[in-house]
Amino acid sequence: MVTTVERPVLVVVPALNEADCIRAVVGEIRTALPAADVLVVDDGSTDATAARARAAGALVASLPYNLGVGGAIRLGYRYAAARDYHAVVQIDADGQHDPRYAHALLDRLDAGADLVIGARFAGEGDYAVAGPRRWAMVVLGTVLSWLSGTRLTDVTSGMRAASRPLVEVFAVQYPVEYLGDTVETLAMAARRGFRVRQVPVAMRTRAGGRPSQRPLRACLYLVRVLLAVLLALIRR
Amino acid sequence: MRLVLLTASTGLAILTGLTELLRRRRLREKYAALWLVTAAFVVALSLYPSGPDLVAGLLGVRSGISLVLFLSVVFLLSICMHLTWEASRLDDKTRILSEEIALIRLERETGDQSTSPLPSGPVVLVPSPDGRHGHDG
Ligand SMILES: Nc1nc2c(ncn2[C@@H]2O[C@H](COP(=O)(O)OP(=O)(O)O)[C@@H](O)[C@H]2O)c(=O)[nH]1
Ligand SMILES: [Mg+2]
């Protein structure tokens, strides 16, 4: 059997000012998936992110200004759809996702899934979240598990893999709003009858740079999560 | 009489401003039509302040003022809705443009046009099932 890993895979890496870790991340991805192409979507970074990614052997698409994670990822899907990539894997540029788990995601695709989420709370590693952010995740998990007919424990995880049919859908429409790129995409895929599954992955703390989500914003985050769920539910 | 002066001068000021914007080509035609009709209403209203009372009587609304207020709120709300819709659409369009730019930059860098070209025709905005826009390439 030919596994996905031997077929053309595109790894999409959204990056905003990640010059500190982009090189190591691209290197790790290329070690873990030697046959895959790595596309770093540089979203208007003001540091050396693009140059370092290129030096590390990645393809780099530089956006003229910041579009946000959703816009950057959609660009990756458009790139993949216009070529004959068999699958797309999304990996963050901050070093939190361990590219070695990409195999697990791709294997799960092969075993019959269209969207595979790398879930942080499903047994591997010791990633924990508390307070409003935790409640937000519970709400999200419940609604989206119900929509996709399977238990999902980490719907905001940015580590994912998508099958070719789904890549074509995402290239045409990928939610670009805040949280839309994680939450609404799941709802979209599930509602269109694609199989959504999760596999456990371990996450690391950031290798450098700083997170876009600061603890003080956790309450605002909860409110926005509720809005995102509402939108995901009413949008066709 | 003083009231007529106030309303008429407001109507005229709006008309003048509008003509000026049109003359300088700052307004798209669809908006020009809208505002011209609005200004015409304002001027008519200022010349016949008792007009709304007549219409209100026909509709069973007690006073012409309430009718005018109600209609203007509805009117302003629909304009706001239209503008937010328009702003979202423009956002979609500029997004697609910047995605195209990034892809073209990448192509130029890697020189890979021959192997697997990106769709090079015009980018068509297709209404997506969820009411927003996507790319049909
Ligand atoms: N393209 C793009 N990537 C972004 C943006 N903001 C953050 N990222 C990237 O998205 C990934 C996740 O960001 P992070 O701040 O760690 O989010 P968290 O892990 O969900 O807390 C990292 O690779 C960032 O470089 C953005 O505005 N545009
Ligand atoms: Mg992160």
Side-chain angles (χ1 to χ4, degrees):
Chain A
M1 190 185 114
V2 192
T3 67
T4 326
V5 180
E6 290 150 28
R7 280 175 268 164
V9 169
L10 181 71
V11 180
V12 177
V13 182
L16 176 64
N17 295 330
E18 300 283 5
D20 288 345
C21 26
I22 191 72
R23 185 169 205 138
V25 169
V26 172
E28 273 190 332
I29 296 172
R30 298 196 2 137
T31 311
L33 299 170
D37 288 336
V38 183
L39 176 69
V40 171
V41 185
D42 160 36
D43 201 1
S45 298
T46 50
D47 61 8
T49 301
R52 289 192 191 165
R54 215 171 278 126
L59 296 161
V60 179
S62 285
L63 286 161
Y65 58 88
N66 187 275
L67 288 187
V69 181
I73 298 280
R74 184 172 79 175
L75 176 58
Y77 279 111
R78 279 184 60 188
Y79 185 87
R83 290 161 174 75
D84 47 5
Y85 289 107
H86 176 77
V88 165
V89 178
Q90 295 170 221
I91 291 185
D92 279 0
D94 57 5
Q96 279 185 292
H97 300 160
D98 188 336
R100 283 172 298 180
Y101 284 96
H103 287 286
L105 269 66
L106 289 170
D107 287 346
R108 190 66 189 82
L109 278 188
D110 273 353
D114 294 292
L115 181 60
V116 180
I117 317 291
R120 290 164 283 189
F121 309 105
E124 292 259 348
D126 49 3
Y127 188 95
V129 176
R133 200 162 184 197
R134 167 91 219 144
W135 310 332
M137 287 180 162
V138 170
V139 173
L140 282 177
T142 311
V143 174
L144 291 170
S145 297
W146 165 69
L147 264 182
S148 53
T150 185
R151 200 170 115 77
L152 300 176
T153 50
D154 186 16
V155 295
T156 58
S157 166
M159 188 172 189
R160 298 154 173 237
S163 67
R164 176 74 201 185
L166 195 55
V167 167
E168 280 162 17
V169 171
F170 282 164
V172 177
Q173 46 170 284
Y174 195 82
V176 293
E177 284 121 335
Y178 184 73
L179 281 172
D181 60 310
T182 49
V183 175
E184 209 181 322
T185 46
L186 266 173
M188 261 176 64
R191 250 206 240 107
R192 279 168 178 66
F194 290 103
R195 267 159 77 95
V196 181
R197 291 296 179 266
Q198 76 175 24
V199 297
V201 300
M203 293 249 168
R204 303 178 290 205
T205 49
R206 291 178 68 94
R210 51 169 209 181
S212 53
Q213 192 77 44
R214 276 171 290 278
L216 276 176
R217 306 222 179 130
C219 278
L220 182 62
Y221 178 78
L222 179 58
V223 172
R224 297 180 82 170
V225 159
L226 294 176
L227 181 64
V229 169
L230 192 70
L231 283 179
L233 284 176
I234 61 176
R235 276 178 172 161
R236 278 180 293 144
Chain B
M1 195 59 218
R2 292 226 302 274
L3 176 69
V4 175
L5 276 182
L6 180 71
T7 49
S9 52
T10 312
L12 281 179
I14 291 178
L15 253 182
T16 321
L18 189 75
T19 324
E20 193 54 26
L21 280 177
L22 274 178
R23 227 166 48 79
R24 295 190 194 162
R25 301 174 192 277
R26 289 290 164 81
L27 268 192
R28 296 292 296 271
E29 189 207 330
K30 54 179 173 178
Y31 296 122
L34 175 73
W35 291 121
L36 277 174
V37 171
T38 312
F41 261 104
V42 172
V43 171
L45 206 61
S46 61
L47 296 180
Y48 309 101
S50 53
D53 286 329
L54 258 170
V55 183
L58 289 178
L59 290 178
V61 178
R62 195 162 302 160
S63 95
I65 303 292
S66 329
L67 183 65
V68 170
L69 267 181
F70 172 71
L71 290 182
S72 30
V73 168
V74 169
F75 176 70
L76 289 178
L77 269 181
S78 28
I79 297 225
C80 282
M81 273 168 62
H82 172 79
L83 288 180
T84 48
W85 171 78
E86 189 89 358
S88 313
R89 209 169 58 103
L90 289 176
D91 181 60
D92 276 344
K93 288 186 174 184
T94 52
R95 266 172 189 287
I96 289 186
L97 277 183
S98 46
E99 284 172 13
E100 290 289 309
I101 290 174
L103 289 173
I104 289 170
R105 282 177 178 174
L106 175 58
E107 271 187 351
R108 201 188 50 189
E109 215 169 79
T110 53
D112 81 340
Q113 287 100 334
S114 53
T115 48
S116 38
L118 288 165
S120 55
V123 177
V124 183
L125 281 169
V126 288
S128 64
D130 62 357
R132 285 170 300 154
H133 293 82
H135 175 260
D136 74 343

